[in-house]
Amino acid sequence: MAARSTGSPWRTALLAPTGLAAAAGLAVLVLLVIFGPVIWGADATTADPLSLSQPPGAVHLFGTDAGGRDVLARTMTAARLSVLMALAASVFGVLCGVVVGSLPSVMPPRLGRAVVSIFNFAIAFPGLLLTIFLSVIFGQGATGALFAIGVSIIPVYARLTHTLSSSVGGRDFVAAARILGVGKVRVVARHILPNIAGPLIVNASVTAGGALIAFASLSFLGLGVQPPEFDWGRMLNEGLSKIFVNPATALAPGIAVVLAGIVFTLAGETLARATGVNPGLTHRLPRWIPRPALPAGNVLDDVSGNASGDAVLRVRNLRVAVPHADGWREPVKGVSFDVGRGEVVGIVGESGSGKSLSCLSVAGLTDFPLKVTADTIVFDGVETLRGEHRPAGVSARAVERLLGTRMAMVFQDPMSSLNPSLRVGGQVAEAGFIHGGLTRRQAWAKAVRRLADVKIPDPARRARQHPHELSGGMRQRAMIAMGLMGNPALIIADEPTTALDVTVQREVLSVLHDVQVDSAAAILLISHDIAVVTGLCSRVLVMYQGEIVEEIATADLVAGRARHPYTRALLAAVPTMDTDRSQPMATIAEVPA
Amino acid sequence: MTTTMSALPARAPRRPATGWFAPGSWSLFAVRRGGRFLVAIVVLVTAAFLMLQLIPGDPARESVGATAPVEAVNLRRHELGLDQPLWVQYFRFWGGLLTGHPGTSITLRMPVADVIGSRFPATAELAVITLVVVLVLAIPLGLLAAALTRGGRRRGLELGFTSVTGFFSVVPEFLMGVGLVYLFAVSTQLLPVAGRGGPTSYVLPVAALSIGSTAALARIVRAEALGVLGNDYIRTARAKRMPAIRLYLRHALPNLMTSTLTIAGLFLGSLIAGTVLVESIFAWPGLGMTIVDSIRSKDYPLAQTLVVVYGAIVLGINLVVDVLLAILDPRSTIKES
């Protein structure tokens, strides 16, 4: 947020539309509270017996009420009582709440816990219900309502204060103050409260809005302000019965309450943005200037790869753009490669080199607002991307079906790539009945067979379990099984072993290898671990800063015949058993791309 | 659990659920959660009892009015049981609640139990219908909004959705009620405005109660759904190229239910409070009008019992929500906490 704002966060928050509206609304409210009764006070209480319950007209803009008094004047005058009562109740509730919420920090632990359990009990009840309960004790009337609302705020604020101060109380500077012998009360007052003031103030604004509505509610029910005094709630109470005669008697005070409530809410939102408690809306995207697409049939075939004849995947000049505050940046800058049928190709490179993003783009899994363009992407004989879009002659359904059955994905973190709410078997089976034309029962049976294929013991039982009941290695194998439900021509494995421990890595890699041998699927294996890649792949693409800097056969790579300095540096950075451990580990300097 | 057990890493073994009260077992959850519910009920009843003692001044004098003769005050004091020692009063209060005879209403001159029995169904109907309406509308709405605006798509729609729902969630139920009365009874005379009769009489009260909650819940569902849609397992699901409906309903929705239900529980609680006001607007013959009247007329036996009834409803809702959460969440984190 700070990166974008030119001035202070306060300035940014205030100049946003919500900030301006909040400031204007608050100014109007303050003026009404101060001058409302002065300007309209006389009109508001003067009864005109000749014009009872008049509809809106020229003399009385909102008409008159049952007593012949001007509704507009009464609404404006009532602002003072309505707002001040709400503020008084909030101030009382917030202050008491902060004190009560600080008590557990200064009291003996046992007593402190008792206080916490009391306000946790009270918080189980909604505020308005608590207020109505408390009205039994405080009785009807403005003072009673003030205390009832104030007291019902206490538990909310006590809990907020307690939660916030517990989190601050664990920090080092508080511990340091305690060690220095600062008293408990002083620690709370000098070290804890100032550090939690932000959220407390933000919430106070919301609380004031709530108190305003609560006060209107109580007065409306006849439990709050009593005649001849009047606030907006009392006016509503009297106006509702006359709504058929002059609707404005009920609508004017109602609208006033809603507007005042919105002002407090907007003020809270502005405060939240200014103090950084809550960030604002998403930013507008920078302007996208499309790259001219190449005309059909004019795709450059400049890849020196040895698999260009019968490629399962052909990618030319793939670019991925990501929006930033100052325009679009390209983490993938024109990548071209082929994967032959049944071939195992590795992509290596450091984090952020664009290797995962390239593969997600190939699979069509990048999400808005990323922009993917390519001269062409051909998968399994079907062109899936030309320029920015799917080519005109290819139907969306056909592409979905092709990618859903012929391309399998294995992602990095098996802990998070399986849906925690669904059974493993169902998630594996799904691909079978979405595209495979199987019934659910057949798909389930096939899923169990596939789970057995990837060497999951007792697959029938495992299929009925949820992901959290499986180990990391088993989940990754279940992901592979998921890909095998179709008839994959290509398996894209994006760092499939990075999140697993070393022994499990071996199992998963051997399953991948077996699958490749059995199904003759090609594999595109992404990794930053050269050892993993050289163990499985026949050809390696080296990516650096969004480009493929070298394409090399594994045999050449292992034999040390890499040409690009980055590849050599990457190899040198791999520690072996005879690496001198008294020396610092090798690092890779920035290579000019 | 012995020391060998605690030496193992925390998440490694799923503890075998053997024995009646093994950690994570249903019986242990039932005992713990049920125990907490009972304690809360005891505290609630005690608090309702103490209300009478906390009333500033003499409740008997307050109840009969400042001008009443001393005899009347003494009679009322006897009626309220305030002439008994405190512990006798306390046990009588409990006895009354447990036997279903919590005294007699002072103003209505009929047993409190009968008053509540005749009024409760109307309030319960209103609350249940409203809850169903809110859940049926808010969850699809929030999910749809999330689906359309995820990842910063359609900023205009996002702004529109957040402002409209923001506005409606700020408008309190009773003002919504007043507005609806104006629109549908005063201006157009489409719908009945007072009392409980045919199906049309339910429309306005339910609408008044549900519009604000629907808007607020839809906002929360959208925010939660945006979080869920950003998860890796949604990318996995998208890799299977399934229809969008299946992606959102089958893969995203179940993961939303826990948080949505937790929040819906809170809403239901405040909805109960909202019924008090809405009943008063639409002359709905439920408990809400009764509690307001009992407070105004200082009918303490009725008011105290109604506090217990409303409080128990809220505590009951919390209990049901927790049980549902424990059933729905496959990991049953609630059961173990």
Side-chain angles (χ1 to χ4, degrees), chain B residues 265-283:
Chain B
L266 295 177
F267 275 44
L268 189 55
S270 63
L271 202 128
I272 296 294
T275 58
V276 175
L277 288 141
V278 168
E279 284 180 16
S280 170
I281 292 176
F282 295 99

Side-chain angles (χ1 to χ4, degrees), chain B residues 42-115:
Chain B
V42 170
V43 175
L44 171 71
V45 170
T46 310
F49 167 76
L50 288 176
M51 276 183 167
L52 200 56
Q53 319 296 324
L54 287 174
I55 288 166
D58 179 3
R61 166 59 73 188
E62 286 284 320
S63 172
V64 289
T67 53
V70 180
E71 296 78 48
V73 176
N74 285 336
L75 184 65
R76 180 57 54 86
R77 183 171 293 126
H78 178 70
E79 275 182 349
L80 293 173
L82 288 171
D83 50 353
Q84 303 283 334
L86 199 61
W87 64 271
V88 175
Q89 290 181 43
Y90 185 58
F91 284 107
R92 272 198 189 174
F93 189 62
W94 266 109
L97 288 173
L98 291 177
T99 55
H101 299 291
T104 305
S105 160
I106 293 169
T107 44
L108 301 171
R109 290 288 155 201
M110 64 192 274
V112 168
D114 292 359
V115 178

